[in-house]
Amino acid sequence: MNKPLKQHLIDPEICIRCYTCEMTCPLEAITHDDNNVVVDAEKCNFCMDCIPVCPTGSIDEWRIVTTPYSLDEQFGWEDLPEQKDLGDSGGEVEALDDTIEALLAEAHKGAGGRSRAPASAAKPTVNLYNLGKPATARVQGTYRLTSEESGAEVRHIILDFGNQSLPVLEGQSIGITPPGVDAKGKPHLPRLYSVSSPRDGERPHYNNLSLTVKREDGGVCSTYLCDLKMGDEVKVTGPFGATFLMPDDPSARLLMICTGTGSAPFRAFTMRRQRVAAGASGDMVMFFGARTPDSLPYFGPLNKVPERLLKKHLVFSRIPGVAKEYVQDRMMVEQEVIAEMLADPATHIYICGLKGMEQGVEQSFKNIAESTGMPWEATRDVMRDEGRYHVETY
Ligand SMILES: Cc1cc2nc3c(=O)[nH]c(=O)nc-3n(C[C@H](O)[C@H](O)[C@H](O)COP(=O)(O)OP(=O)(O)OC[C@H]3O[C@@H](n4cnc5c(N)ncnc54)[C@H](O)[C@@H]3O)c2cc1C
């Protein structure tokens, strides 16, 4: 069998036949007939010049193939073929995709079924860069968000992508592959990190993004990231994730529950609303758990976000002399607010953080829903199928 390769394709159902991509491609790899605009796999070198100029996003399509689709095949399509099952081909690209898929599937397991993107979310770009062809970013900034005394080191790391295009939506992740090899002499597998800045950049209209990384004792990738210095180069894959996305609809109400670095996507959501829809009718409510205020990432900046934009419940479990409180406890205290939001079809629920938080949060939702006569599992399943219930835990 041929070595699997990733083939760049254009979605004929979405393409508006403006031919901007064809005019932009420096290799003349894109061509068209009366029916479709198509990519020649023999000429395409993944330079990505065509990606940002496409007005529709129809250009962000990829399939792993052992024999590339020919131009004639593509001219005949009315829609894109599904990804074929390639069986045991052992390709590097395929292996990476499997790793990422497995990480995401595991991270979204708590949703109780297959997650869906919110109906009004923008179409995400995924898998633009892979191990064979990663993007190269430079560290533009790195600073510690948590105090030395707190014991936990969480860093805000800003990566600049120069002139490479890496379009991300709020809620997506990128892959970082630490350099070097593991104990068996094999290259390290990539790790996923949620993007904590909005789609237009950490700084508006700069080609940069931020991550919120916790240093794990003995952790290969988090140690690598937390030790990076200004100007260091980092290899990046992705973007990844097509469901844990923010609705673009400004009337959508967001109920966000997180611990630790699970706050990363919610920083992006909040900044997005602040930048483009500060007067949105949809409210945002956050339950954020940490041990102490100085171990809660973004404690200072979060407190400056006006309550009318983001209603914050910062919950602490290790304040000396104060009873332990976890996010699920505060949810019970605020059960009237949550019950009202659960009953509103405009509400979207997002849960992000450590796996251990899921059970308690789920139980509080169950208690609250059932106290108002709503069967929790059925309510959750409807919300999930409507793209309004999202879990990302790791
Ligand atoms: C969708 C998704 C989004 C994510 N987003 C974020 C994010 O925004 N921020 C973030 O910080 N993380 C995030 N993660 C987690 C991240 O991908 C990594 O799993 C995490 O950083 C740990 O990776 P590591 O390479 O440092 O640890 P690994 O080397 O993979 O080790 C895993 C664990 O084993 C322990 N360990 C390893 N070796 C030793 C040893 N010799 N002795 C003792 N203990 C050891 C480490 O402490 C660590 O807890 C996300 C994960 C997913 C799936």
Side-chain angles (χ1 to χ4, degrees):
M1 189 185 289
N2 295 335
K3 192 170 183 222
L5 60 89
K6 199 158 222 170
Q7 183 173 9
H8 186 193
L9 298 168
I10 297 173
D11 187 339
E13 280 189 304
I14 300 174
C15 173
I16 56 168
R17 279 75 174 164
C18 65
Y19 311 119
T20 316
C21 55
E22 186 172 333
M23 290 182 271
T24 307
C25 178
L27 300 171
E28 297 182 357
I30 302 182
T31 180
H32 70 271
D33 69 353
D34 290 345
N35 197 30
N36 284 338
V37 186
V38 300
V39 186
D40 187 338
E42 284 185 20
K43 292 185 184 167
C44 173
N45 72 347
F46 299 91
C47 71
M48 306 292 159
D49 286 1
C50 57
I51 302 291
V53 297
C54 172
T56 63
S58 58
I59 195 101
D60 299 333
E61 291 294 343
W62 315 85
R63 295 289 182 273
I64 300 167
V65 293
T66 45
T67 308
Y69 293 105
S70 69
L71 295 181
D72 280 344
E73 280 174 287
Q74 296 178 57
F75 286 140
W77 287 344
E78 285 178 9
D79 48 22
L80 279 181
E82 292 288 315
Q83 173 64 57
K84 279 187 193 153
D85 181 0
L86 298 179
D88 183 21
S89 57
E92 183 189 298
V93 175
E94 190 189 5
L96 169 68
D97 280 355
D98 286 351
T99 305
I100 299 293
E101 278 306 314
L103 286 170
L104 285 174
E106 180 61 29
H108 295 171
K109 218 166 158 186
R114 195 154 181 252
S115 334
R116 298 234 160 89
S120 72
K123 187 174 185 282
T125 299
V126 290
N127 298 330
L128 206 51
Y129 297 96
N130 59 36
L131 272 189
K133 188 179 184 300
T136 303
R138 246 176 220 291
V139 178
Q140 226 176 9
T142 167
Y143 65 86
R144 188 170 173 148
L145 294 164
T146 50
S147 78
E148 297 271 347
E149 297 73 47
S150 72
E153 179 178 350
V154 180
R155 299 191 79 86
H156 185 67
I157 300 172
I158 303 170
L159 299 178
D160 178 63
F161 287 83
N163 56 12
Q164 298 152 101
S165 166
L166 188 105
V168 287
L169 292 177
E170 302 78 19
Q172 284 194 291
S173 305
I174 58 169
I176 306 280
T177 310
V181 291
D182 64 18
K184 292 183 187 148
K186 292 197 164 167
H188 289 298
L189 290 172
R191 270 66 160 177
L192 292 178
Y193 292 90
S194 309
V195 175
S196 54
S197 50
R199 66 188 77 180
D200 57 341
E202 170 71 3
R203 179 166 175 184
H205 313 303
Y206 275 57
N207 194 16
N208 59 7
L209 58 75
S210 65
L211 304 178
T212 311
V213 181
K214 177 168 189 281
R215 186 191 290 271
E216 298 286 351
D217 280 343
V220 175
C221 195
S222 60
T223 303
Y224 161 69
L225 283 171
C226 289
D227 285 345
L228 286 171
K229 302 280 176 285
M230 291 268 282
D232 282 351
E233 274 192 1
V234 187
K235 299 289 180 204
V236 174
T237 56
F240 300 113
T243 59
F244 196 92
L245 300 173
M246 181 182 181
D248 273 346
D249 176 2
S251 65
R253 307 178 69 191
L254 311 187
L255 175 54
M256 303 174 288
I257 301 162
C258 62
T259 54
T261 54
S263 57
F266 303 150
R267 178 178 186 267
F269 288 12
T270 306
M271 288 173 78
R272 175 73 183 162
R273 276 267 167 105
Q274 267 181 314
R275 285 185 190 173
V276 300
S281 60
D283 52 346
M284 300 175 80
V285 180
M286 173 188 250
F287 289 81
F288 188 168
R291 290 178 167 209
T292 51
D294 63 349
S295 67
L296 185 139
Y298 309 111
F299 184 71
L302 246 183
N303 272 320
K304 292 198 187 114
V305 179
E307 285 279 303
R308 72 186 134 70
L309 183 82
L310 176 69
K311 176 88 188 113
K312 298 169 285 280
H313 296 281
L314 307 183
V315 184
F316 304 109
S317 59
R318 300 286 165 83
I319 297 191
V322 178
K324 287 183 180 181
E325 191 184 18
Y326 297 97
V327 280
Q328 59 266 31
D329 304 325
R330 185 66 70 88
M331 286 170 68
M332 291 312 297
V333 174
E334 296 293 327
Q335 57 180 298
E336 276 179 30
V337 174
I338 294 180
E340 183 272 321
M341 288 187 87
L342 280 179
D344 184 347
T347 298
H348 291 246
I349 294 175
Y350 294 86
I351 301 164
C352 191
L354 293 179
K355 279 245 174 284
M357 72 182 287
E358 267 170 42
Q359 209 187 346
V361 169
E362 175 92 12
Q363 188 58 48
S364 289
F365 271 128
K366 191 172 165 66
N367 294 345
I368 296 168
E370 291 178 359
S371 72
T372 62
M374 295 169 91
W376 167 243
E377 281 81 7
T379 305
R380 182 198 63 189
D381 289 354
V382 168
M383 292 187 77
R384 188 194 59 233
D385 290 347
E386 292 175 355
R388 299 192 293 115
Y389 186 78
H390 311 268
V391 179
E392 189 160 276
T393 52
Y394 41 84

